[in-house]
Amino acid sequence: RTRTEREKKKKQTKHKNSKMSKGNDQVYPIALLIDELKHEDVALRLNSIQKLHFIASGLGPARTRTELIPFIKQTCLDDEDEVLLALAEQLGDFISAVGGVQHATELLSPLESLCMVEEASVRDKAVESLNKIVAQLSGNQVENDFMPIVTKLSAGKWFTARSSACGLCAVAYPKVGNDKQKNLRNLYMTLCKDGSPMVRRSAAKYLGDFAQQMKDDVVATEILPMFNQLKKDNQDSVRLLALDNCAKLGKMVSQNDVVTHILPTIKSCATDKSWRVRYMVAEKFKELCEAVGPTITKDKMVAYYVDLCKDTEVEVRTSAAFHVADVCSKFTSDVIVNNVLPALAQLVKDKSEHVRSSLAKEIMALSAQLSKEETIQHLLPLFLNLLKDEYPDVRLNIISNLEHVNRVIGVERLSQSLLPAIMDLAEDKNWRVRRAIIDYIPLLSTQLGMNFFNDKLSSICMTWLTDSVYLIREAASINLCRLTEAFGSEWCASHLIPKLAELNKRPNYLYRMTSLSAIGNLSSELNKQVVESHIVPLVVQLVDDPVPNVRFNVAKTFEKIIPMVSNNVIMEHIKPSVERLQQDKDYDVIHFASAAASAIH
Amino acid sequence: KKKKGKKKLNKLKKKKMTFFIKKKGKQEGEWRYQQHFGDIHCKDVKEEDIISALEFDKEGKYLAIGDGGGRIVILKKNPQVKSTEFQVLTEFQSHEMKFDTLKSEEIPQQIKQIKWVPKVNDSLFLLTSNAKTVKLWKIYRKTLHKVVTQQSPTTGKLEIPRLSDSKVIMAHNPKKEYKNAHEFTINSVSTNSDGETFLSADDLRINLWHMDYPDAKHTIVDIKPDDMKNLSEVITSATFHNTDCNQFIYTTTSGVTKLCDLRTGATCGHHEREFSLKGTEKGFFTETIAAVSDAKFSPDGRYILSRDYMTLKIWDVKMEKRPLKTFYVHECLRAKLYDLYENDCIFDKFDCHWSGDGRQVLTGSYKNTFNVFDVKGKKHYLSECARKLKPKKEANFSLLDYSKKVLRTAWHPYDQSLAIATVNSLYIINGNS
């Protein structure tokens, strides 16, 4: 159902009701919402549920507890998923509506029911809301009211209830007594061994959070067995999640436990038969290094990472390449040079362009971790190779990240290789590639310097102005503007204006329009003197253009530059031209000319 | 215009399926007739009444039937009767006839496959598929409430509406739609043991889906050649392993069953094992009848059952060169292949099933006949579906019998109980024990 329809319907009902309830202005919108809680239209029910706060404020805490909550429990829990999702969210912030924390336990039961629905997003939201509420409850409330719910859910008939239970243990744990804590741990162990992979996945997902609530020695004796249980699961999707826990648990347990429990898991995952598991290792590698600490990272993890770079599966190598900068921030520079860079040298020649392209994106950032000499000696050859890649994305990624290198060694060393690469991309037959390279030109030019630009790049910038694709021409004119911003008005007057003047004489009117749009853009960056002496004559040149589109663009450009020039220039040059345009035969030209004329006054 | 009118008429005609439940006393032999659904005497069978999919749920409490009219009928096991007997629980329209405006062709509503999704609560969930779209349905008992009191506009006091439970109905609700992913005709859907993914296979590609994300699919197998002229084989079916979440098999018209492992790579270009018999016999129709139409893992996952036109084969998952056993379903047809080619029957796709204990296998044939083989190869039971089963030694068909195909069958997951679809009606056959 579209929104307009919904609104229309709402209006109709509003209209109907407003006739009946005159004088009850405050009560009536709430009454309407209450009625619509059971409306047959889902959109209206959803609207009512989303405004449950409003309803509760009308009823007051006491009636909310005794009437609204039971009503919801009785009738609203078998609704459509979107309504349930809204309800689960609302109930999480409902403590004040039922009259404060002492009554908050009223909310537990409807949320418990929502923890059992089949739609995962609703269950997750209900778990989230329960966590919010329970965090505010007192220890007594948790023991007497919340614990039975967790126990009941964890023994539920269907996996939905049991998997929700996994997410509720952590919040209850610190609020209950020792024996109840032991119960919770036992209960969690049972969930880790559940028959349904869905429950085991959920247990694996929340294990880290659960462990964080415990004392370190308990983690070692009680959580590690759970962890060991999950990491040898026969379902890939469960093992995947064990890695997350490696990262979290590693920080909590002693170095000994890391060596005996965490490290073997990382090792087995890094060599797992399933590419998905290895992919996750590559994705989480930085966190894993943090978890095991610097010594083990140097001794063991480096080798795992190098293996991932040589993986047989493209996706794994792509991920390894993509995280190279992150991961190397955990390695020392000699390790990077001796171990990682040889592996990267292979990736530079990888047969998948996705691998090379994600490597190109990240490899530049490595220079920050190496000295200037190391960068020049080891990294530079890799950059140069990637700059010659046959796949445009790879080259683009290198060029777009030049700033990293600039900080360490300056771009000059690259300039010899950069230029052919830029030229190639500038003429790529895919216009999106051309567009992308244009965006980097201002940055490149400032890094390479004005002279380099004038010598090598200015001509392609001008070629773009005559590109066959409009978007490129437009980007080119904006590009000129940004260059002027960088190099100043004088440079613009001496280098750009003459070239624009040439464009003005081109027979194709589209080029003349491009020139005008460039002029319009440029004028805001230039100082008054340059505008008066160079820009105005250029525009005036085109007043008598045979094509009306050019003429009304002239009028538009006048309107733009009028505020920037002094009065006598306006009177002398612009005003006569504008007046002439106002006499034009074309309506559009007259329209824009009058707009310009009013700008003069 | 005429066609449009006809369509409308068809829509109006979409009357409820009628079912006859008839019971019969004890019979001699290994199997006995229990009941049947549908009109068995109907002479002129309409396309939309032909049963095209059949599936027991994992607990064996329900049986779903899909037909050419895009309808799904759910049967429920009658708990009051000792033997396996079913009654109609609900029926609904799953797919409608659609028109693909880009290719300007009709997408028929015919149900290609039904798969039960493991239960998550008291509701039932099933995936149904026509040629292009897979849908996830929820079937549940819905309590219809009636609002008794309304706000009284004059008092200005807020009233919570009071409701009365009026009645409970079986409702069905399309939860998700997995669409726009298949260029070709879907032939099978299979759920994974991880409980969250399923695959759908069309003629040239197999897609993997996550049940919760209908917008994204991942193509795990793609055998489409760059140039369609080089097309040498077409996928006929695909199914996941019962317990191992990363293994699946697919079958092709070139007579092979391929076992793939999802762990080896993001796309399964290479297969782990390829089960096929090569170069044993030569003949004009050899290639055609070698096309595998269906394959299933045994309940313990160690064997694969495959069905080609003439035979049923059992393979050891670890041995790909030759089958452990070959069962000849209807050898009498070998002399008549030319006739079968003429009337297109040679392209019929029969399915095959394991018994719940993995000791017997089931497949269909012509003349409303079903075949049950003992895995060890000692016994072969074949009989025509009828009120009184008459076991035969060997099949024998006349030209008229070819229209009475038993393409769809199913074996109850626990009981000695078969569901046999004979064109437009369904027989429940139980074991005599």
Side-chain angles (χ1 to χ4, degrees):
Chain A
R1 198 170 289 269
T2 60
R3 178 167 289 178
T4 45
E5 249 175 283
R6 243 183 255 173
E7 237 117 71
K8 211 165 143 194
K9 207 156 189 184
K10 230 197 273 175
K11 258 183 207 160
Q12 280 172 356
T13 24
K14 243 180 200 172
H15 185 67
K16 200 173 70 194
N17 286 20
S18 68
K19 267 187 197 162
M20 298 190 288
S21 60
K22 261 183 193 162
N24 290 326
D25 286 348
Q26 296 212 318
V27 178
Y28 138 76
I30 300 179
L32 184 67
L33 284 173
I34 294 180
D35 269 355
E36 284 174 359
L37 275 174
K38 279 284 113 189
H39 200 278
E40 59 193 28
D41 182 355
V42 183
L44 293 178
R45 290 204 301 276
L46 181 63
N47 179 49
S48 280
I49 291 286
Q50 280 166 342
K51 294 188 177 131
L52 214 53
H53 267 285
F54 195 41
I55 295 177
S57 70
L59 292 168
R63 289 191 70 196
T64 302
R65 283 197 306 274
T66 54
E67 293 179 43
L68 184 62
I69 298 288
F71 173 76
I72 287 172
K73 256 196 286 191
Q74 191 199 343
T75 66
C76 296
L77 296 173
D78 60 349
D79 212 323
E80 306 283 332
D81 292 335
E82 47 184 328
V83 179
L84 295 183
L85 187 67
L87 181 61
E89 186 167 7
Q90 286 294 316
L91 291 180
D93 303 318
F94 228 55
I95 291 187
S96 60
V98 290
V101 176
Q102 69 268 32
H103 300 292
T105 45
E106 301 281 339
L107 299 170
L108 298 180
S109 149
L111 281 169
E112 178 195 352
S113 310
L114 289 174
C115 280
M116 294 187 275
V117 300
E118 70 269 8
E119 181 65 29
S121 57
V122 177
R123 291 202 306 272
D124 289 348
K125 192 51 100 184
V127 168
E128 194 186 317
S129 290
L130 273 176
N131 274 314
K132 258 193 215 168
I133 292 170
V134 175
Q136 297 179 46
L137 295 183
S138 69
N140 261 341
Q141 281 175 312
V142 174
E143 285 216 11
N144 298 331
D145 296 303
F146 185 59
M147 278 303 289
I149 290 179
V150 177
T151 320
K152 207 161 104 203
L153 284 174
S154 70
K157 186 179 172 196
W158 306 110
F159 85 80
T160 46
R162 301 197 302 274
S163 76
S164 294
C166 299
L168 298 173
C169 291
V171 69
Y173 193 82
K175 298 205 168 210
V176 295
N178 275 339
D179 50 330
K180 283 269 163 67
Q181 286 190 338
K182 190 158 188 300
N183 282 352
L184 272 175
R185 291 196 301 263
N186 290 340
L187 184 150
Y188 208 91
M189 188 63 188
T190 328
L191 290 170
C192 288
K193 291 176 185 163
D194 197 280
S196 159
M198 310 291 276
V199 178
R200 299 200 301 273
R201 255 200 301 280
S202 182
K205 185 174 151 197
Y206 290 109
L207 184 65
D209 294 340
F210 190 44
Q212 259 156 5
Q213 307 296 333
M214 300 178 190
K215 293 197 191 85
D216 289 355
D217 54 323
V218 186
V219 171
T221 55
E222 304 251 349
I223 296 292
L224 283 179
M226 298 183 197
F227 170 73
N228 289 334
Q229 174 72 29
L230 291 169
K231 79 179 186 197
K232 55 175 196 248
D233 203 285
N234 65 347
Q235 293 272 347
D236 296 352
S237 47
V238 180
R239 288 203 307 277
L240 281 180
L241 293 163
L243 276 165
D244 253 341
N245 293 321
C246 281
K248 279 186 187 144
L249 292 177
K251 289 177 196 157
M252 283 182 252
V253 297
S254 68
Q255 193 71 11
N256 262 342
D257 283 328
V258 168
V259 175
T260 50
H261 295 283
I262 307 287
L263 192 63
T265 312
I266 297 177
K267 187 182 174 185
S268 70
C269 286
T271 52
D272 198 284
K273 201 185 169 201
S274 168
W275 69 272
R276 280 167 69 197
V277 177
R278 300 197 303 272
Y279 174 83
M280 279 312 275
V281 178
E283 285 283 301
K284 303 264 168 198
F285 210 86
K286 186 185 169 197
E287 285 94 329
L288 294 173
C289 288
E290 280 166 6
V292 297
T295 353
I296 299 181
T297 299
K298 195 176 174 185
D299 293 345
K300 304 275 183 190
M301 297 295 278
V302 176
Y304 300 156
Y305 183 73
V306 171
D307 282 346
L308 288 174
C309 289
K310 293 175 186 159
D311 201 279
T312 48
E313 173 58 36
V314 175
E315 302 287 337
V316 178
R317 293 200 302 273
T318 309
S319 172
F322 192 73
H323 292 95
V324 67
D326 268 357
V327 171
C328 286
S329 68
K330 299 287 153 203
F331 295 163
T332 52
S333 68
D334 60 312
V335 165
I336 297 178
V337 171
N338 296 329
N339 302 68
V340 180
L341 285 183
L344 294 188
Q346 293 299 312
L347 287 183
V348 167
K349 290 182 254 166
D350 199 283
K351 53 181 189 293
S352 159
E353 67 263 23
H354 300 293
V355 176
R356 299 197 305 270
S357 145
S358 49
L359 180 67
K361 209 178 225 157
E362 294 299 317
I363 195 173
M364 307 298 270
L366 267 188
S367 52
Q369 281 147 47
L370 299 176
S371 67
K372 191 174 172 183
E373 287 70 37
E374 285 166 335
T375 306
I376 293 170
Q377 197 188 337
H378 302 288
L379 267 184
L380 198 59
L382 301 184
F383 297 160
L384 296 180
N385 266 331
L386 288 170
L387 263 181
K388 288 181 209 136
D389 200 283
E390 60 188 15
Y391 191 67
D393 261 14
V394 179
R395 282 172 275 154
L396 258 183
N397 281 343
I398 285 283
I399 291 172
S400 56
N401 287 300
L402 276 179
E403 60 207 300
H404 292 292
V405 189
N406 195 31
R407 269 185 246 136
V408 184
I409 54 169
V411 193
E412 298 78 27
R413 282 176 194 282
L414 280 174
S415 57
Q416 285 312 310
S417 321
L418 264 181
L419 195 63
I422 294 172
M423 289 308 209
D424 241 27
L425 291 172
E427 282 156 18
D428 198 284
K429 57 179 185 295
N430 184 345
W431 66 265
R432 286 171 209 278
V433 175
R434 298 202 296 275
R435 170 91 190 266
I437 188 76
I438 292 178
D439 288 342
Y440 294 116
I441 287 290
L443 187 73
L444 278 173
S445 317
T446 43
Q447 286 169 354
L448 294 165
M450 198 194 282
N451 289 334
F452 184 87
F453 179 85
N454 288 341
D455 286 353
K456 307 278 162 65
L457 294 179
S458 69
S459 66
I460 44 168
C461 288
M462 288 307 171
T463 330
W464 282 323
L465 281 176
T466 55
D467 199 283
S468 57
V469 176
Y470 171 74
L471 269 174
I472 299 293
R473 296 198 299 273
E474 194 194 17
S477 89
I478 293 165
N479 175 39
L480 293 185
C481 185
R482 285 166 63 194
L483 285 170
T484 310
E485 200 180 322
F487 293 155
S489 298
E490 303 309 319
W491 172 83
C492 173
S494 60
H495 287 87
L496 290 186
I497 304 286
K499 289 179 179 165
L500 288 176
E502 276 169 40
L503 266 191
N504 271 353
K505 294 182 191 113
R506 295 288 283 266
N508 187 337
Y509 83 99
L510 287 174
Y511 296 148
R512 302 197 294 276
M513 299 252 287
T514 314
S515 157
L516 273 176
S517 104
I519 289 167
N521 284 333
L522 278 173
S523 56
S524 55
E525 297 296 331
L526 297 170
N527 59 30
K528 192 175 167 186
Q529 193 202 341
V530 178
V531 174
E532 284 174 0
S533 60
H534 291 86
I535 296 288
V536 174
L538 276 183
V539 186
V540 172
Q541 258 179 15
L542 294 173
V543 167
D544 295 318
D545 200 279
V547 179
N549 285 32
V550 177
R551 293 201 300 279
F552 78 64
N553 272 302
V554 167
K556 270 172 150 177
T557 316
F558 274 141
E559 194 184 345
K560 254 190 204 167
I561 56 180
I562 280 166
M564 291 171 222
V565 295
S566 58
N567 222 8
N568 52 4
V569 177
I570 294 179
M571 286 308 156
E572 198 179 325
H573 297 288
I574 299 182
K575 201 174 175 206
S577 310
V578 171
E579 277 166 0
R580 202 145 81 238
L581 288 171
Q582 278 180 301
Q583 310 294 319
D584 205 283
K585 277 180 272 176
D586 192 283
Y587 289 115
D588 292 324
V589 179
I590 297 171
H591 169 80
F592 288 109
S594 0
S598 57
I600 297 176
H601 309 300
Chain B
K1 224 176 183 181
K2 212 174 179 183
K3 215 172 178 185
K4 243 185 182 172
K6 208 176 169 189
K7 246 185 184 173
K8 215 169 186 183
L9 203 73
N10 270 340
K11 242 183 185 172
L12 288 175
K13 270 196 202 160
K14 216 183 276 162
K15 53 179 190 255
K16 284 210 161 182
M17 259 182 146
T18 45
F19 287 98
F20 301 88
I21 307 179
K22 283 172 186 166
K23 296 170 200 170
K24 200 95 197 227
K26 284 245 170 182
Q27 285 168 44
E28 294 302 307
E30 199 182 338
W31 296 93
R32 72 188 150 83
Y33 164 89
Q34 181 69 35
Q35 62 181 144
H36 80 268
F37 297 86
D39 186 2
I40 46 174
H41 300 298
C42 181
K43 290 266 159 59
D44 178 26
V45 178
K46 282 192 219 104
E47 185 92 6
E48 56 181 43
D49 289 332
I50 297 176
I51 295 177
S52 55
L54 210 52
E55 189 79 16
F56 279 106
D57 81 321
K58 294 212 169 57
E59 293 166 37
K61 281 188 188 157
Y62 301 93
L63 172 63
I65 310 164
D67 67 14
R71 288 164 297 205
I72 304 283
V73 180
I74 310 248
L75 306 180
K76 187 176 191 246
K77 192 173 161 184
N78 187 350
Q80 277 143 13
V81 185
K82 211 177 154 203
S83 55
T84 313
E85 192 176 292
F86 290 88
Q87 53 203 24
V88 177
L89 178 69
T90 183
E91 70 165 283
F92 59 92
Q93 189 77 32
S94 167
H95 288 76
E96 306 264 354
M97 170 91 79
K98 286 260 171 63
F99 191 76
D100 183 343
T101 40
L102 283 178
K103 288 184 174 173
S104 116
E105 63 183 20
E106 277 182 344
I107 305 169
Q109 69 274 51
Q110 187 202 42
I111 304 295
K112 289 285 180 184
Q113 191 134 45
I114 304 173
K115 285 286 163 184
W116 291 88
V117 177
K119 280 181 90 172
V120 295
N121 51 26
D122 291 326
S123 317
L124 304 173
F125 290 88
L126 43 103
L127 290 166
T128 64
S129 166
N130 72 346
K132 300 282 175 195
T133 309
V134 184
K135 288 183 185 179
L136 176 65
W137 287 90
K138 176 186 179 183
I139 293 120
Y140 60 110
R141 301 169 71 81
K142 188 177 183 181
T143 321
L144 292 180
H145 297 288
K146 209 172 170 191
V147 181
V148 180
T149 52
Q150 276 251 330
Q151 303 290 340
S152 55
T154 44
T155 57
K157 191 173 177 288
L158 292 171
E159 296 277 351
I160 296 283
R162 233 169 290 139
L163 305 175
S164 67
D165 284 5
S166 47
K167 62 173 179 182
V168 179
I169 55 160
M170 284 311 290
H172 50 87
N173 195 358
K175 295 280 286 183
K176 305 236 156 69
E177 229 175 279
Y178 310 88
K179 56 184 176 186
N180 301 335
H182 284 283
E183 202 179 327
F184 309 97
T185 306
I186 297 178
N187 51 49
S188 43
V189 173
S190 174
T191 52
N192 191 339
S193 60
D194 67 5
E196 57 179 6
T197 54
F198 70 91
L199 65 73
S200 60
D202 69 17
D203 291 341
L204 295 176
R205 296 194 182 99
I206 301 177
N207 289 332
L208 184 68
W209 303 81
H210 191 289
M211 218 103 61
D212 292 344
Y213 304 99
D215 305 331
K217 61 110 196 342
H218 175 61
T219 303
I220 46 176
V221 174
D222 186 351
I223 59 165
K224 184 173 185 248
D226 293 332
D227 183 359
M228 283 295 263
K229 279 179 196 156
N230 301 332
L231 188 69
S232 59
E233 56 179 353
V234 165
I235 298 171
T236 49
S237 81
T239 181
F240 268 119
H241 193 278
N242 311 343
T243 51
D244 222 343
C245 66
N246 37 47
Q247 284 189 36
F248 67 97
I249 46 175
Y250 69 92
T251 60
T252 73
T253 47
S254 65
V256 293
T257 304
K258 291 179 185 177
L259 174 71
C260 299
D261 192 328
L262 281 174
R263 291 176 297 184
T264 48
T267 50
C268 300
H270 314 283
H271 42 82
E272 299 279 296
R273 284 170 195 280
E274 183 178 296
F275 304 92
S276 72
L277 264 181
K278 271 177 190 156
T280 44
E281 47 184 319
K282 283 273 179 293
F284 187 64
F285 294 110
T286 312
E287 278 183 19
T288 322
I289 60 169
V292 183
S293 52
D294 193 20
K296 297 270 157 64
F297 277 107
S298 65
D300 60 6
R302 286 167 57 200
Y303 304 100
I304 293 170
L305 174 69
S306 77
R307 170 75 154 99
D308 54 45
Y309 190 66
M310 296 300 286
T311 67
L312 200 55
K313 293 188 176 79
I314 294 181
W315 306 79
D316 188 327
V317 168
K318 299 205 166 88
M319 188 171 76
E320 50 205 310
K321 292 225 173 66
R322 58 193 159 79
L324 286 178
K325 279 270 179 290
T326 304
F327 303 115
Y328 297 95
V329 179
H330 36 219
E331 271 313 281
C332 62
L333 292 181
R334 208 169 277 274
K336 298 175 182 165
L337 288 177
Y338 188 76
D339 294 343
L340 291 163
Y341 180 75
E342 283 286 283
N343 63 13
D344 276 355
C345 281
I346 204 164
F347 301 109
D348 284 340
K349 302 266 175 271
F350 293 95
D351 68 358
C352 57
H353 290 274
W354 291 87
S355 66
D357 57 8
R359 286 192 192 147
Q360 285 166 298
V361 291
L362 163 73
T363 193
S365 176
Y366 296 105
K367 202 181 178 182
N368 293 346
T369 307
F370 68 95
N371 294 268
V372 178
F373 294 92
D374 173 35
V375 169
K376 291 188 178 125
K378 283 179 189 151
K379 273 189 241 160
H380 175 197
Y381 182 96
L382 94 159
S383 169
E384 211 175 307
C385 285
R387 298 271 176 77
K388 197 161 172 61
L389 300 182
K390 289 180 200 139
K392 283 184 197 164
K393 280 266 179 298
E394 205 162 315
N396 195 4
F397 306 125
S398 68
L399 207 57
L400 271 174
D401 297 330
Y402 294 139
S403 61
K404 299 177 193 162
K405 322 172 184 204
V406 179
L407 297 178
R408 300 280 163 254
T409 57
W411 199 307
H412 192 279
Y414 302 113
D415 301 347
Q416 264 313 66
S417 178
L418 316 173
I420 314 283
T422 58
V423 191
N424 67 332
S425 42
L426 175 78
Y427 283 84
I428 302 293
I429 310 283
N430 280 347
N432 262 337
S433 52

